[in-house]
Amino acid sequence: MIETIRKLAEAYGPSGREEDVHRIVLEELKNHIDGYKFDRVGNLIVWKDGKSGKKVMLDAHSDEIGLVVTNIDKNGFLRVETVGGVPPHPYVGQRVKFPQCTGIVYVEGETSQDMKKNFSNLSFDVMYVDIGASSYEEAQKVAPIGTFGVYDSRFMQNGDFLTSKAMDDRVGCAVVIEVLKRLNSPNNTVYCSFSTQEEIGLMGARVAGYDIMPEACIAIDVTASSDTPKAFKRHAMVLKKGPAIKVKDRASISDRKIVDKLIELAEESGIPYQMEVLIMGGTNAAAFQATASGIASATVSIPTRYVHTPSETVHLDDIKNCVNLLIEYVQKGV
Amino acid sequence: MLYLKELTEIGGVSGDESRVRDFIASKIKDKVDETHVDKLGNLIALKKGKKNGKRFLLTAHMDEIGFMVTNIEDDGTLSFSPIGGVDPRVVPGKRVKIADKVTGVIGYKAIHLQKKEEIFKVPAFENLRIYIGTDSKEASSKLVNIGDSVVFTTEYREENGKATGKAFDDRAGCSVMMDLIDNIDRYDFDVYFAFLVQEEVGLRGSAVIAEQIQPDVAIVLEGTTAGDNPEVPEYKWATHIGDGPAVTFMHRGYVVSSKVVQNIMSIAQKNGIPYQAKRRTAGGTDAARLAGTWRGVPSGVISVPSRYIHSPVSMIDLNDYHNTVRLVEKILDEGEVFFK
């Protein structure tokens, strides 16, 4: 499973450009599903037939945050804007990977005072990308306006701590893949969406939900953690304590019946879990709840350190226990 | 370009688009196969295809930014609040029309009475009033009502290959669609034209379009930000007027399908029509709604670059306008590539 996570996390897939991720998902799943399709906004939807006549859905978004080239100056330096909620700070001195080249991101400033000001009010307005081009024309050849880039970051393992860019939400994709691999003759038909454009506004999930209209849907996504020095005090989530059953974030309140069922199943099977109330953020559950005539939806999260940086860090135990809990749910939950 | 002048001079704040809709309907009804107004007020026209099958949707929104009367004061002046994103710096000292009948002036303290530091402060909407030449609540109440819409009264003009006027966002798009209705032949596929309401207050009209029409592809026609002012460095411009229609690759809430962007750009190149990439990602269009409702409609955005939008007067380059019409016409001519 670690190798699958590595492959998925290192793949290039900013919002709207999820094709590589979908290719990896399909390779992993080709012998484990009864069918798949790509819908009109690029969502990959796979399924495994059950006997009960009921549909249950799992969702993990396939896109990641990124940058997009919006302007190129006459000396070949790029200006970029964000794709999703990208903080500027991790990008200082960081490399950004475009499909045809890699660039270095840095901060402008003509005096030390300028520099100080720009660093303390850091924004992409005062940052540029250097791709080793010397003219507009040269840059436009390899990174034309409208080119999407992602963190240039490698997968790393420290014991059972796994670190990479885009754990948000490739770790969710890996969980869903593992559930499908281990699920033999499911009771309920299980649909899984690897949905597009989550980071810029839950775009793909609205369409996937409308299309499938399952009895219940669980989004698997990352959440914040509070187990680092002077971390956000009002959050309870920590690594190694199990998957987090989300009660609420800023975009959705989880369906209470699903939450209660998840707790019940975890208790019954002795699967460690923790409860989650996230003060910020949102997941595709919000989109599922509000599409068509509404889908009962919840989120199960993998607690993650350093979300939206090149070094999003998760723990293998949480991932495995998340898989176990979801298998219980799709078999017995609806 | 028979309609742009009239279109921009009609008042049509979000939620009060009926005059724009009536004007458009009267001009197009004999040139299309069907028209209807849906429950939200969107005007939808259909030019049927020769073969049954695919559906190509073009949209533009009819509404414009403006204001609404919120209260009638004892002294006869009107309090108001903005509808859509209006920059408060461009509001004082403008002539407006209320409910399409009463002319008013947005007043503010005369410069003689202001302290130096006051002059450069942006007035809050709560400190601005509209004067309609009455001096009592009673007199004003006979002329206007709370909830009446308020628009700028800018006349349309053409000079030096440029047009100036109000509401190019998005009467330019409406006008492009009307020109197309005048000019295009019948295609194999159905062509739907949707003139939409309430875009400026949150893409509301378009929310009910995808399921209603069920199109295979959509192109949203807009008047978009130029931002090519001299005080802004060139690498921060969104578009530059005169450089051709702007093609959007991403904006708020939606990364445009790369296939749609590629198709638009290669059709422009093949036909020698100038175009530019829209180079900022702020702001959204109805494309985000069309892509995210129903089963998802792959949607592109093509815009006429417009300086100083969301203000009483903006400016477009007429070549950009004509090239937008040409480009969309060629897109329809080669429409089949969008269904592959």
Side-chain angles (χ1 to χ4, degrees):
Chain A
M1 200 181 173
I2 293 175
E3 179 55 16
T4 306
I5 297 171
R6 184 194 64 77
K7 266 197 285 186
L8 285 165
E10 286 188 347
Y12 165 89
S15 305
R17 303 286 182 272
E18 299 88 353
E19 296 83 356
D20 288 357
V21 180
H22 288 157
R23 200 171 307 124
I24 297 168
V25 173
L26 275 183
E27 269 165 34
E28 290 284 331
L29 283 178
K30 58 179 181 251
N31 300 319
H32 303 277
I33 48 176
D34 292 317
Y36 74 90
K37 68 169 178 183
F38 288 101
D39 70 14
R40 298 168 5 141
V41 293
N43 295 311
L44 168 61
I45 295 168
V46 308
W47 58 89
K48 205 160 182 166
D49 296 327
K51 313 167 276 268
S52 69
K54 286 182 183 163
K55 294 187 275 193
V56 59
M57 186 154 159
L58 301 178
D59 170 87
H61 65 86
S62 42
D63 64 318
E64 67 189 288
I65 54 161
L67 299 177
V68 62
V69 180
T70 48
N71 266 300
I72 303 172
D73 73 16
K74 62 181 193 309
N75 298 318
F77 290 96
L78 315 180
R79 296 286 165 160
V80 290
E81 288 185 27
T82 59
V83 179
V86 185
H89 302 85
Y91 258 115
V92 177
Q94 163 73 27
R95 291 175 206 179
V96 54
K97 193 163 70 179
F98 298 107
Q100 294 184 66
C101 63
T102 301
I104 300 115
V105 187
Y106 207 64
V107 183
E108 64 184 24
E110 290 177 309
T111 61
S112 49
Q113 241 177 345
D114 263 10
M115 263 306 189
K116 215 169 163 183
K117 199 179 92 207
N118 288 347
F119 268 97
S120 57
N121 303 309
L122 198 61
S123 87
F124 286 99
D125 268 357
V126 294
M127 295 165 78
Y128 59 86
V129 181
D130 175 355
I131 55 165
S134 310
S135 67
Y136 176 93
E137 290 72 22
E138 227 179 277
Q140 175 74 18
K141 261 184 223 153
V142 287
I145 289 163
T147 303
F148 289 69
V150 298
Y151 288 124
D152 183 44
S153 150
R154 286 289 175 82
F155 179 85
M156 174 181 93
Q157 188 172 0
N158 274 338
D160 282 341
F161 289 91
L162 313 179
T163 297
S164 174
K165 74 164 181 69
M167 284 299 183
D168 175 8
D169 185 27
R170 306 294 159 65
V171 71
C173 296
V175 164
V176 174
I177 289 170
E178 189 65 15
V179 169
L180 287 168
K181 281 182 177 172
R182 279 175 42 195
L183 206 58
N184 291 317
S185 58
N187 301 331
N188 305 307
T189 296
V190 182
Y191 281 89
C192 297
S193 53
F194 298 88
S195 44
T196 56
Q197 303 199 24
E198 189 267 357
E199 295 289 359
I200 60 158
L202 322 181
M203 227 287 301
R206 291 174 221 284
V207 173
Y210 185 103
D211 189 17
I212 307 300
M213 278 308 281
E215 251 69 31
C217 178
I218 296 182
I220 296 93
D221 210 331
V222 303
T223 192
S225 84
S226 279
D227 50 0
T228 48
K230 288 202 177 175
F232 205 74
K233 277 197 279 194
R234 287 152 76 199
H235 282 153
M237 297 78 76
V238 295
L239 272 63
K240 290 204 288 189
K241 209 173 158 186
I245 299 171
K246 188 187 295 263
V247 178
K248 180 190 177 298
D249 59 28
R250 213 164 63 183
S252 77
I253 296 171
S254 295
D255 180 87
R256 193 67 218 184
K257 278 188 211 142
I258 300 179
V259 169
D260 289 344
K261 194 74 196 173
L262 286 165
I263 294 170
E264 183 192 314
L265 291 168
E267 295 282 351
E268 245 174 52
S269 318
I271 300 167
Y273 70 95
Q274 52 189 320
M275 299 307 293
E276 172 193 349
V277 178
L278 184 71
I279 289 160
M280 59 282 261
T283 75
N284 274 339
F288 291 119
Q289 288 178 344
T291 199
S293 47
I295 299 165
S297 305
T299 302
V300 174
S301 312
I302 304 290
T304 305
R305 291 178 187 164
Y306 324 122
V307 174
H308 285 196
T309 75
S311 301
E312 296 179 329
T313 298
V314 295
H315 196 277
L316 192 58
D317 290 353
D318 298 335
I319 297 166
K320 287 179 174 166
N321 285 316
C322 187
V323 172
N324 294 338
L325 179 59
L326 292 172
I327 289 174
E328 289 295 312
Y329 183 80
V330 298
Q331 289 291 54
K332 302 176 193 162
V334 287
Chain B
M1 210 183 62
L2 293 171
Y3 314 109
L4 187 61
K5 174 179 161 63
E6 275 178 281
L7 273 170
T8 66
E9 290 181 353
I10 303 170
V13 176
S14 309
D16 187 25
E17 300 90 349
S18 62
R19 286 175 297 278
V20 185
R21 183 172 55 233
D22 293 347
F23 172 78
I24 296 170
S26 73
K27 300 290 181 192
I28 66 170
K29 65 176 190 299
D30 299 329
K31 303 165 192 161
V32 293
D33 300 308
E34 284 170 24
T35 59
H36 85 277
V37 177
D38 75 7
K39 289 175 184 167
L40 263 58
N42 299 306
L43 169 66
I44 297 165
L46 165 63
K47 189 134 182 171
K48 278 189 188 137
K50 284 183 284 192
K51 296 179 184 164
N52 209 6
K54 300 291 185 183
R55 292 174 186 172
F56 203 116
L57 169 66
L58 299 174
T59 80
H61 65 89
M62 297 184 286
D63 62 316
E64 67 187 292
I65 54 107
F67 313 94
M68 187 176 276
V69 176
T70 56
N71 204 2
I72 301 171
E73 306 293 335
D74 290 341
D75 63 0
T77 62
L78 314 176
S79 303
F80 62 99
S81 84
I83 302 288
V86 193
D87 183 342
R89 291 173 302 178
V90 300
V91 172
K94 300 302 185 299
R95 185 179 286 161
V96 291
K97 194 150 240 185
I98 302 119
D100 200 42
K101 52 179 203 268
V102 179
T103 299
V105 171
I106 299 178
Y108 197 52
K109 211 190 278 181
I111 192 165
H112 317 75
L113 305 176
Q114 291 189 51
K115 296 200 179 79
K116 233 184 194 164
E117 57 273 21
E118 261 181 297
I119 292 172
F120 295 103
K121 267 202 194 134
V122 182
F125 282 109
E126 62 199 29
N127 296 328
L128 295 170
R129 295 283 181 274
I130 300 169
Y131 296 75
I132 55 171
T134 61
D135 50 17
S136 72
K137 186 170 190 164
E138 207 187 356
S140 289
S141 299
K142 283 183 190 143
L143 299 170
V144 299
N145 243 322
I146 291 168
D148 281 351
S149 69
V150 180
V151 288
F152 295 118
T153 59
T154 315
E155 68 183 290
Y156 174 92
R157 266 193 210 163
E158 286 177 19
E159 259 165 89
N160 299 323
K162 311 280 193 294
T164 53
K166 74 166 174 69
F168 288 130
D169 173 11
D170 183 27
R171 303 295 157 68
C174 294
S175 176
V176 168
M177 293 219 295
M178 292 175 76
D179 286 355
L180 288 166
I181 290 170
D182 281 351
N183 296 333
I184 59 169
D185 298 325
R186 207 170 278 284
Y187 293 98
D188 282 350
F189 46 86
D190 292 344
V191 182
Y192 282 87
F193 300 87
F195 298 89
L196 304 173
V197 297
Q198 300 195 34
E199 191 269 353
E200 297 291 358
V201 287
L203 320 178
R204 294 181 193 164
S206 56
V208 300
I209 290 299
E211 186 147 7
Q212 212 178 147
I213 299 177
Q214 311 203 340
D216 295 279
V217 64
I219 303 280
V220 173
L221 300 167
E222 269 285 4
T224 200
T225 330
D228 55 349
N229 312 19
E231 71 274 19
V232 179
E234 212 173 310
Y235 61 80
K236 289 187 175 170
W237 292 356
T239 61
H240 180 38
I241 67 168
D243 283 358
V247 181
T248 297
F249 52 81
M250 173 191 167
H251 62 50
R252 187 172 63 224
Y254 181 49
V255 176
V256 178
S257 147
S258 53
K259 213 172 76 181
V260 171
V261 173
Q262 281 312 319
N263 283 338
I264 294 171
M265 288 183 174
S266 61
I267 288 168
Q269 283 161 13
K270 207 162 83 182
N271 292 284
I273 302 168
Y275 70 94
Q276 55 188 315
K278 180 164 179 196
R279 303 185 286 283
R280 301 303 297 262
T281 63
T285 75
D286 287 317
R289 273 281 189 260
L290 296 170
T293 49
W294 182 58
R295 293 179 195 285
V297 183
S299 304
V301 186
I302 299 174
S303 308
V304 179
S306 176
R307 270 184 198 154
Y308 326 122
I309 61 167
H310 287 211
S311 84
V313 58
S314 42
M315 176 191 281
I316 61 170
D317 187 306
L318 291 169
N319 284 327
D320 292 341
Y321 176 88
H322 293 303
N323 281 322
T324 305
V325 177
R326 273 176 71 206
L327 176 56
V328 182
E329 198 168 342
K330 293 294 175 196
I331 285 170
L332 289 175
D333 289 348
E334 301 183 28
E336 299 292 341
V337 301
F338 289 87
F339 304 132
K340 280 175 190 148

